[in-house]
Amino acid sequence: MDICIQNQYSDCNVSFPICSSTSFNTNSFGVGNELTNIPGCFGNSNELETVWMTFTTQTAGNIGFTIDPQSATDDDYDFILYRADNNNFCDDINTNGSIVSCNASSSTGASGSTGINTLISTGFTDNDPNPNSENPGAGNPYNHFVPTTAGDKYYLIIDNFNTSNIGFDISFSGTADLDCTILPLELTEFGGEKVKEQNLLHWATAREYNTSHFEIERSQDAMDFIKIGELKSGNKKLETQIYQYWDNEPQVGINYYRLKQVDLDGTFTYTKTIAIDNQGIITTFEIQKMYPNPAQNVINFVFTVPTSNSEIQVEIFDSNGKSVSKNTNTYQKGVQNFNQNVSSFSKGLYILRISNLKTGETLTEKFIKQ
């Protein structure tokens, strides 16, 4: 595999996933967006021109690699290999992992290779207290093989002390196999919130490999989900992608959402489930309140309109079915308040009728004039 790199691999959280020997045809141009605190055999030196990569072992055994500079005279590569303790390694590399091998020996040119290879390391004995750490200025560019178990995840930071921007090759050795199963997508955030009468869902990815699309699913019980929408994947392998989706018609009560991440070959995975509380959201045409009842001077009606630009007619009939008041207006979606002066009405029973002239829906309610 040949990779052309710049600063996009220069931070832990955008480490390049590898599972085989790889050529990096250019080195990074700096330290990325964050200067990482990298104690250990680097001594007092911080990042200069760094490349972060990550790999996982598929089988137990030992792992080794060789870093060969592509420049014949210019480069002095150093490295630190971390074993991650959990999935939050990049949040704090000094707490969530440990250094298992580190080499900052000084060497350049054709003999400037470094890495982990017991077969060609020299100067160590079986009783050496730390055969996997060479400090700046040390003479041995190779450390002993690192024992590993299946499923161990590693992060490797490679730094060019001479900052030439010239690339390097890395080749793996040892008895352990690396896991080449690359997840199609790394989701870094998924959330949502109620915005007026709608729900806004948003999510972000750090990298996408052969991802086809996202299906947005909703449920009212967090068990039975239905598809309500779909967004095509940006399929940007190493760029942060931000997505958003508006649910324009959420259900009354708590709405549960999840994403179905679909790969190009049809395989898929589900995200976690999130919940948005939509208590009180308007989805029906109904009379919510009528007061005071009985009424003497004014009667007030509160009703809901579920869609905007609705033509609503409010009409009042006496007990004989005669229309005594009629009012027609265009209402927007929401809770509507209407009041009618009834001081001139005769005492008795009246019927309120509210009609949606666009949908044909009709609501009726009775009140008494004292």
Side-chain angles (χ1 to χ4, degrees), residues 8-64:
Q8 62 261 44
Y9 309 125
S10 296
D11 290 308
C12 180
N13 62 352
V14 288
S15 298
F16 186 80
I18 58 174
C19 66
S20 61
S21 301
T22 306
S23 292
F24 289 81
N25 292 330
T26 59
N27 193 27
S28 72
F29 300 138
V31 299
N33 295 320
E34 180 180 352
L35 182 62
T36 306
N37 178 19
I38 46 174
C41 69
F42 276 26
N44 295 325
S45 176
N46 283 315
E47 294 180 90
L48 296 171
E49 281 185 354
T50 53
V51 177
W52 282 83
M53 56 191 72
T54 183
F55 58 89
T56 301
T57 52
Q58 189 175 47
T59 62
N62 55 58
I63 54 176

